[in-house]
Structures are given as C-alpha cells and as structure tokens.
Amino acid sequence: MKRWVSIVLAVIVIGFIGTNVYLIFKEDSKVQHTVHVEKWSRVQERDIVETFETDGILVPKEEQDVYLPLENIEFQQFLVEEGDEVAIGTPLFLYTSPEIDSLKETLETEITQVEGEIEGVEDYIDSLEDYQSSIPTTTSEIEVDSILEDGLKIDVHASSEMIESTIEQEIYKQELEKRKLEEQKTKYENQLDNINEQENSASMVSNIDGVVVEVNKNLGNPIITIASNELAIEGEFSEQQLKKAETGMKLTATASGENKKLEGTLDKINPYPVNEPAIDKENAYNFVASILEQPETAPIGTKTTVSVVTAEAIDVPAIRDGAIHGKKTSYVYQLNEDGQIKKKTVEKGLSFDGYTEIVKGSDIGEVTMLSPEKSPQTNTSFVTEMKPKQITKAALKDFTSREVWKYILIGLVER
C-alpha cells in the first residue's frame, strides 16, 4: 500500500474516533443523554393487601354452661349423657318447683321481647338492602346514607365496591343475629310447652346445637356443659403480630381437607400473655376469630394457617417497588411515547409483596424505569432492547424513515 493511502486512512480513522469522542463529551449531546433501559414496568390496577400469617386451630365457637334455673327446685333426672349430640330445644333434665308458674310468666315475657328484637333486625336488614341497591357504579356519584354510614363506619372516600362489600358483611352479621334470636325464641317456646305438658314439672332445654361435654352428677353448677357445633379459630400472636392486629380485621384460613379458604374476622385478642411474662422468653397472645361460612368437613381440632389482613387497597394504581425512588419525596422515571424520560413526583400509599399503591402522580398504563443504574435527567432520550418479533410493518408506519434510522443508530451506539 502506498504511503499516502495509509496516511489518508489514518486521518479518516482518527477523525471518526475524534468526532465520536467529541459527540460523547459535548454538552447537551444527544449521545450523552440517551439511556439504555433494560427493565421497565407498567402501572397496573391491583389489590394491595397487607397480611401476616400465624397458626390456628378449629375449636367450638362457644362452650355453654347450663345452670339450675331456680333455687327452690327438686331435681328429677338427667335426659342426656356426655357425648350426646343435642339441638336447640333438646330437653337436658327434668325438675319440679313451686315457682313454675312464675317461670311460665317469665318465659312468655322473654318470647315477646325476642319477637320485638327480631322485627328490629329485619327492619335494619331491609334498610341495608335498599341502600345497597341504590349505590351507583362510579365513586363520584355515591351519596352515602349518613345514618348507615355512622353505623357501618364507611370511609367517605371508599369506592362503591368497598361500600357494597361492607354492607354485605353487615347483612351477613345481621342474618346471624336474627338466626340466634329465632333460636332463642324456639328455646323459650319449647320450655313453655314442656311445662304446659307436664303440669308440675319442667325440663331445661339446650340453647345451642352441639355436643354434651360434661354432666355434673353431683348437681353442682354448671350442671351441664355443651360445646357448640359452630366452629371458630383459636391461635396465638407473637409480640410483633400483636402490634399489628386489631379486633374486626378480616382474615382467611386454610384448613386441611377443605377445598376453599375459610373467611372470618378477629373477634377477640387477649392482651395478657398466654404464659407468665419472662425476660428470656418471647411472649404469645391468644386470639379467637369467627368464621363467616362453616367448614364442610374439617372437624374440631383441625390445624389451620391463618392470614390476617392488616390493611388493604382494592383496585388501585400500583407499581413494582423498584420503580419508585427517593426518601423524602418519592418519584418515578416515566417513559413516554416521545422516547423521553420524565421524572415525576408521586404520592405512595400501601405497599406489600413487592408492589406499592400510587395515590397521586401516575396513572394506570404508564411505563416507568425499574432500578436505573444511574439517575437520568428529565427529558433524556431512552432506548430499550429491540424485540424483532414485536416489530411489524403496521407499527413502522407510525414513524418516518428518518425516525426509524435515528432510533436504530441510537440503539446501536448505546449498546
């Protein structure tokens, strides 16, 4: 090769390299401000549910102690034994007393009072159902019934779905209350019938469906103890879990042998430790939860895994945690349709399981960078990995030839 040719080639190569170095380090250079984005995430509509798990066990919801009804009685005989299954109204034992006439009047009064309470519950259920049917589909149109709102403790900012869910739970609770009152009425009526049938003797009847677990043959009180067929969940919280838990919180439980999860609420938390407090031991605290729908096959004593819901946000904009930056002020790097990065301030809500609720600042469908290696400036151009299978002729029609080559060259330089 001739000497002058070598010199020309060397000048061209040095010029090419020098030009690129100049473009890279030039202030406001497009090359310098183009960022290669490897990972990104869309803002999605999700349910953010914060939970913690603990162990539990299925137990009878209650153990009812039965006492001798009057002081001046003559006990006659037991009608049940330990292990017998009983229903509401099943006679448990017979007795006689000179106070039976007074007892009859008391029972008649109790029946009248319970009937009044049942009517009150039915009226309340009707008002809940009317309110539920009046709830519109969009949050902006909701007109909350102030009286029911106070009773149900509905958040004024709650969505229509959350209000409907709250009302459904309240209706379910009231249906349970109505059923209990009806069972109570049945018990009183059965007692009254027995007294009327047996002139000078009466029988004490069961107030619940369940199993007789103890009969006191010495006639001391309680004379009979019955465990209910209705089940509940009992378990223990650690010290950390106790700080998060409150009565009324929703929970789900997984029990072996059951096809679907059991849903319920925390009814009681005992703030005193199960064992005597000790410096070198972790304390545990007993809790009891009710079950909305009774298990089909799981018997008493079945172990469960309980998931307690400590907070939840339903159908809200949410994004993966890695897309949110900043300590005092939170922000994301949004990738817009113009191929540029926009730094946007956002307001965070509930976070759990890798996702964070976006209360303000970003909408569903927007695309954001995930964990950038260095913080890009706003309005910086970006490139992403080319996915040939997703490139179609129809998609390329949206760009001019100049734009197509521009983005291809920027991508090659960034790689």
Side-chain angles (χ1 to χ4, degrees):
M1 183 181 294
K2 295 182 179 181
R3 179 179 177 81
W4 69 269
V5 174
S6 299
I7 294 173
V8 169
L9 289 175
V11 170
I12 292 174
V13 171
I14 293 171
F16 178 78
I17 295 174
T19 302
N20 279 279
V21 170
Y22 169 75
L23 291 174
I24 290 172
F25 290 100
K26 177 188 173 186
E27 188 176 359
D28 298 329
S29 167
K30 294 291 185 184
V31 175
Q32 180 188 17
H33 291 167
T34 301
V35 175
H36 177 237
V37 178
E38 292 187 0
K39 296 180 180 178
W40 62 90
S41 177
R42 286 187 183 277
V43 180
Q44 307 171 20
E45 183 179 87
R46 296 180 65 94
D47 297 340
I48 307 293
V49 182
E50 182 184 271
T51 63
F52 70 79
E53 290 191 351
T54 187
D55 295 329
I57 189 171
L58 294 180
V59 296
K61 186 173 184 180
E62 62 177 317
E63 284 196 354
Q64 190 173 83
D65 293 329
V66 180
Y67 295 84
L68 296 172
L70 302 168
E71 293 184 359
N72 186 19
I73 71 166
E74 180 179 340
F75 185 85
Q76 291 188 314
Q77 69 176 100
F78 285 108
L79 302 176
V80 294
E81 296 180 349
E82 292 180 1
D84 284 354
E85 293 187 0
V86 295
I88 295 173
T90 299
L92 301 175
F93 59 86
L94 288 174
Y95 64 93
T96 61
S97 171
E99 300 175 16
I100 283 183
D101 288 339
S102 174
L103 177 61
K104 288 174 60 177
E105 293 179 4
T106 301
L107 290 172
E108 289 169 348
T109 303
E110 294 284 0
I111 291 171
T112 302
Q113 183 177 337
V114 171
E115 287 175 340
E117 293 178 8
I118 292 174
E119 289 181 6
V121 172
E122 290 175 337
D123 291 342
Y124 183 41
I125 292 175
D126 289 341
S127 64
L128 288 170
E129 291 175 340
D130 291 342
Y131 180 35
Q132 188 180 34
S133 62
S134 69
I135 296 176
T137 55
T138 58
T139 306
S140 59
E141 298 173 347
I142 295 176
E143 294 181 5
V144 180
D145 185 308
S146 59
I147 299 176
L148 291 176
E149 176 195 4
D150 292 340
L152 299 173
K153 298 180 180 178
I154 293 176
D155 186 338
V156 293
H157 302 296
S159 65
S160 56
E161 290 81 6
M162 292 185 69
I163 294 176
E164 284 188 356
S165 175
T166 303
I167 294 173
E168 285 178 4
Q169 289 185 34
E170 182 66 13
I171 290 175
Y172 185 82
K173 289 180 182 176
Q174 294 303 318
E175 293 283 1
L176 288 179
E177 179 64 21
K178 179 185 171 184
R179 191 173 71 190
K180 288 180 181 177
L181 290 169
E182 289 174 339
E183 292 172 348
Q184 202 170 7
K185 179 186 171 188
T186 300
K187 184 196 75 170
Y188 293 143
E189 289 175 338
N190 287 343
Q191 278 186 283
L192 192 59
D193 290 342
N194 288 331
I195 292 174
N196 290 331
E197 290 174 2
Q198 304 172 42
E199 295 181 354
N200 294 321
S201 65
S203 64
M204 172 59 74
V205 300
S206 174
N207 195 29
I208 58 173
D209 297 334
V211 177
V212 177
V213 294
E214 186 172 358
V215 174
N216 189 341
K217 297 292 180 63
N218 296 322
L219 305 185
N221 279 321
I223 192 169
I224 289 177
T225 300
I226 301 172
S228 69
N229 286 338
E230 189 175 0
L231 300 182
I233 299 174
E234 190 174 287
E236 295 179 358
F237 289 146
S238 66
E239 294 178 9
Q240 294 301 320
Q241 291 169 340
L242 180 70
K243 295 176 183 177
K244 299 178 181 178
E246 294 179 5
T247 56
M249 284 182 170
K250 294 191 293 185
L251 58 84
T252 58
T254 304
S256 59
E258 286 292 307
N259 293 326
K260 63 179 182 180
K261 290 186 176 181
L262 307 175
E263 297 183 356
T265 55
L266 275 178
D267 283 350
K268 182 180 179 182
I269 303 172
N270 190 341
Y272 194 81
V274 175
N275 299 313
E276 285 298 319
I279 294 177
D280 57 343
K281 291 184 179 178
E282 182 78 10
N283 293 311
Y285 303 84
N286 184 266
F287 73 85
V288 178
S290 60
I291 304 172
L292 294 179
E293 188 175 345
Q294 290 292 299
E296 296 179 355
T297 57
I300 294 171
T302 301
K303 295 180 180 178
T304 64
T305 300
V306 180
S307 181
V308 180
V309 178
T310 55
E312 63 180 354
I314 306 299
D315 296 336
V316 295
I319 196 168
R320 291 170 64 179
D321 292 343
I324 301 179
H325 313 278
K327 294 182 178 178
K328 293 183 178 179
T329 302
S330 300
Y331 56 89
V332 299
Y333 292 111
Q334 181 191 340
L335 310 180
N336 65 21
E337 295 179 348
D338 297 329
Q340 292 185 320
I341 298 174
K342 296 285 186 181
K343 183 178 178 180
K344 295 183 68 177
T345 301
V346 296
E347 182 179 340
K348 295 193 298 182
L350 186 63
S351 296
F352 190 71
D353 200 22
Y355 281 86
T356 295
E357 174 191 4
I358 302 297
V359 177
K360 186 178 179 183
S362 197
D363 297 323
I364 295 170
E366 291 183 353
V367 182
T368 59
M369 289 180 65
L370 271 177
S371 302
E373 295 179 357
K374 58 182 180 180
S375 300
Q377 297 178 358
T378 192
N379 294 330
T380 300
S381 297
F382 70 90
V383 292
T384 60
E385 182 180 356
M386 185 173 70
K387 296 182 178 179
K389 292 183 179 178
Q390 296 182 8
I391 298 177
T392 63
K393 290 184 178 178
L396 292 176
K397 288 181 180 178
D398 295 334
F399 299 92
T400 63
S401 298
R402 186 172 180 276
E403 289 175 328
V404 171
W405 282 108
K406 171 188 170 184
Y407 293 131
I408 290 176
L409 290 174
I410 291 175
L412 291 173
V413 170
E414 283 299 308
R415 293 303 293 174

